[in-house]
Amino acid sequence: MANPTAAMLVIGDEILSGRTRDANMHHLAGRLTEMGIDLKEVRVVSDDHDAIVSAVRALSGSYAHVFTSGGIGPTHDDITADAVAAAFGAGIDVRADALERLQAHYDRQGTQINDARRRMARIPDGAALIDNPISAAPGFSIGNVHVMAGVPAIFEAMVASLLPTLTGGAPLRSVTLRIARGEGDVAAALSALATDMAQVSFGSYPFIQNGVYGTNIVMRSSDEDALDMAAARLAQAFPEAERQ
Amino acid sequence: MANPTAAMLVIGDEILSGRTRDANMHHLAGRLTEMGIDLKEVRVVSDDHDAIVSAVRALSGSYAHVFTSGGIGPTHDDITADAVAAAFGAGIDVRADALERLQAHYDRQGTQINDARRRMARIPDGAALIDNPISAAPGFSIGNVHVMAGVPAIFEAMVASLLPTLTGGAPLRSVTLRIARGEGDVAAALSALATDMAQVSFGSYPFIQNGVYGTNIVMRSSDEDALDMAAARLAQAFPEAERQ
């Protein structure tokens, strides 16, 4: 059976302006690969209601899961929860169970809850909460869309809360061979091998190190025997290859 | 007049599997912001013909410019040039001017050009070449789509070749104030200011440092006077704010 598919939607002007370097995509990609969920597409959009609604609709219609990051804090530019609710035609309001978590958190801190903080308890009707062990304000899942925070430490904690509740697939194994030759010298043998072994995906990643051109060949498959065979055949064609 | 808009399309299984951390998005975002081209959307798709064709069509129809990275090397998984040609219904073949650049490069290196390397001279009909001062194999522009390499050093060199040929807009200035208070304490005053000063965009970015919650407020505008006014009003509301 084919693995479940997924897309990610990163929301935030700060990524598109170059102010902030996104870190959440790389983290999520690695975690999903480990559990056999195939990340097929990522989109980054700005803090714009229509852009978020249309991306959520397009992605949730095309993939088994959609993971979002960003835009669920207490300030005026945090519009993700409302946009996701709109994408599903769901109502949204402050919800008692979410507010309780916030209240308990701020009580422990001795901080007053105010209107801005109360906004973080706005949850679309019918959504399930995602735990936030760091700063309490929960994420949520509605339909196949999982809405999480943009701050990397909080995003990662929410991913850790969420993923064990999802069904994965066959985890992809990978083997990398490093060959101290340019891609152009590797391409013909690699192409023949890729045609021959359709159950393995072959990626070719050139590098330049100390002025020398080299190529990393990454072979990926959930079939371990096929992967070993592919690595052996590639090593036979390029005896100088080093397994990484 | 509004600034030109842009989208980026990152192509590569290695990003989606979590093997490689994309660096090109952050680089391009910064360069475009400096020259007043507004990056509105980024998509990451895999090395899949149909996925590339449909993303190129969607983005080139919606934005003034589309910048792609990845998939223009010599190996079987380098399918970007053919997919972009297909998206425009253009023919594609090895082109004499592109092949000359490769030939000269490999002559200097004393390397044989072969069929795999010759593939890198495949250029869609009607495209203009983008210089590659590092490894010669050119990128190209067809219509409003600019096709560049994925290796960061080469991507950056191609961006440096390309951007001076494009017309920018009013560069966005930004001012950041750092406030040692949580977002929830800043939100109300910030929201009032954002409503009042529509010509400035206000972004709120929480951080946690040494266990203390703080907020960076980033104000962006191409109107310098409005930006100064916004910064002054915010500093008045939060006297502890530090300009970054």
Side-chain angles (χ1 to χ4, degrees):
Chain A
M1 219 182 69
N3 284 353
T5 59
M8 180 181 189
L9 178 61
V10 177
I11 297 156
D13 291 349
E14 72 278 19
I15 310 290
L16 293 171
S17 72
R19 177 182 174 271
T20 301
R21 188 186 291 271
D22 169 71
N24 295 333
M25 175 167 80
H26 184 67
H27 177 78
L28 182 68
R31 296 294 81 74
L32 292 179
T33 296
E34 285 167 9
M35 68 181 288
I37 293 179
D38 293 348
L39 182 62
K40 305 296 259 186
E41 180 171 351
V42 178
R43 296 193 190 179
V44 186
V45 299
S46 64
D47 301 315
D48 175 88
H49 181 83
D50 294 345
I52 301 170
V53 170
S54 96
V56 167
R57 285 189 179 149
L59 297 174
S60 74
S62 301
Y63 302 103
H65 294 287
V66 179
F67 302 89
T68 82
S69 81
I72 62 167
T75 56
H76 68 286
D77 57 342
D78 290 307
I79 60 175
T80 297
D82 284 78
V84 171
F88 280 93
I92 180 167
D93 206 344
V94 170
R95 213 167 81 176
D97 55 349
L99 189 58
E100 266 171 35
R101 295 184 185 198
L102 288 172
Q103 187 70 61
H105 175 74
Y106 290 116
D107 284 351
R108 277 193 303 276
Q109 291 199 335
T111 303
Q112 276 302 107
I113 202 160
N114 58 17
D115 285 347
R117 295 195 166 104
R118 200 169 283 116
R119 278 192 74 214
M120 294 192 287
R122 287 171 64 77
I123 304 291
D125 297 344
L129 301 185
I130 299 174
D131 289 343
N132 170 0
I134 295 185
S135 54
F140 59 84
S141 298
I142 178 170
N144 63 346
V145 177
H146 312 287
V147 174
M148 296 178 283
V151 175
I154 302 176
F155 178 80
E156 293 174 20
M158 287 183 171
V159 166
S161 301
L162 174 68
L163 291 191
T165 70
L166 305 181
T167 303
L172 219 50
R173 276 191 61 212
S174 75
V175 172
T176 300
L177 289 188
R178 178 190 167 97
I179 303 175
R181 301 173 70 169
E183 270 198 306
D185 289 328
V186 176
L190 184 64
S191 176
L193 190 55
T195 304
D196 218 33
M197 300 195 68
Q199 69 276 53
V200 177
S201 95
F202 293 83
S204 170
Y205 306 107
F207 62 84
I208 310 173
Q209 198 165 48
N210 304 326
V212 177
Y213 287 84
T215 307
N216 281 312
I217 304 297
V218 180
M219 290 155 281
R220 295 189 193 89
S221 180
S222 48
D223 178 339
E224 302 212 4
D225 293 340
L227 199 58
D228 288 341
M229 166 77 78
R233 288 182 57 181
L234 194 64
Q236 196 165 27
F238 299 99
E240 74 272 44
E242 290 170 24
R243 191 154 168 157
Q244 298 299 291
Chain B
M1 218 182 68
N3 285 353
T5 59
M8 180 181 190
L9 178 62
V10 177
I11 297 156
D13 291 349
E14 71 279 19
I15 310 290
L16 293 170
S17 73
R19 176 183 176 271
T20 302
R21 187 186 291 269
D22 169 70
N24 295 333
M25 176 167 78
H26 184 67
H27 177 79
L28 182 67
R31 295 294 82 73
L32 292 179
T33 295
E34 284 167 9
M35 69 182 287
I37 293 179
D38 293 349
L39 182 61
K40 305 296 260 187
E41 181 171 350
V42 178
R43 296 193 190 181
V44 186
V45 299
S46 64
D47 301 316
D48 175 89
H49 182 83
D50 294 346
I52 300 170
V53 170
S54 95
V56 167
R57 284 189 179 148
L59 296 174
S60 75
S62 302
Y63 302 103
H65 294 286
V66 179
F67 302 89
T68 82
S69 81
I72 63 167
T75 57
H76 69 286
D77 57 341
D78 289 307
I79 60 174
T80 297
D82 285 77
V84 171
F88 280 93
I92 180 167
D93 207 342
V94 170
R95 212 167 82 177
D97 55 350
L99 189 58
E100 267 171 34
R101 296 184 185 197
L102 288 172
Q103 188 71 61
H105 175 75
Y106 291 117
D107 284 350
R108 277 192 303 274
Q109 292 199 334
T111 304
Q112 276 303 106
I113 203 161
N114 58 18
D115 285 347
R117 296 195 166 104
R118 199 170 284 115
R119 279 191 74 215
M120 295 191 287
R122 287 172 63 77
I123 304 290
D125 297 343
L129 301 185
I130 299 174
D131 287 343
N132 169 359
I134 294 185
S135 54
F140 60 83
S141 298
I142 178 170
N144 62 346
V145 178
H146 312 287
V147 175
M148 295 178 283
V151 176
I154 303 177
F155 179 80
E156 292 174 19
M158 287 182 171
V159 166
S161 301
L162 174 67
L163 292 191
T165 71
L166 305 181
T167 303
L172 219 50
R173 276 190 62 213
S174 75
V175 172
T176 300
L177 289 190
R178 178 190 167 97
I179 303 175
R181 300 173 71 167
E183 272 196 305
D185 289 327
V186 175
L190 184 65
S191 177
L193 190 55
T195 304
D196 218 33
M197 301 196 68
Q199 70 276 52
V200 176
S201 96
F202 294 83
S204 170
Y205 306 107
F207 62 85
I208 310 172
Q209 198 164 48
N210 305 324
V212 176
Y213 287 83
T215 307
N216 281 311
I217 304 298
V218 180
M219 290 155 281
R220 295 190 192 88
S221 181
S222 49
D223 177 341
E224 301 212 4
D225 293 339
L227 201 58
D228 287 342
M229 166 78 77
R233 288 182 57 181
L234 194 64
Q236 197 166 24
F238 299 99
E240 74 272 44
E242 290 170 23
R243 191 155 169 154
Q244 298 298 291

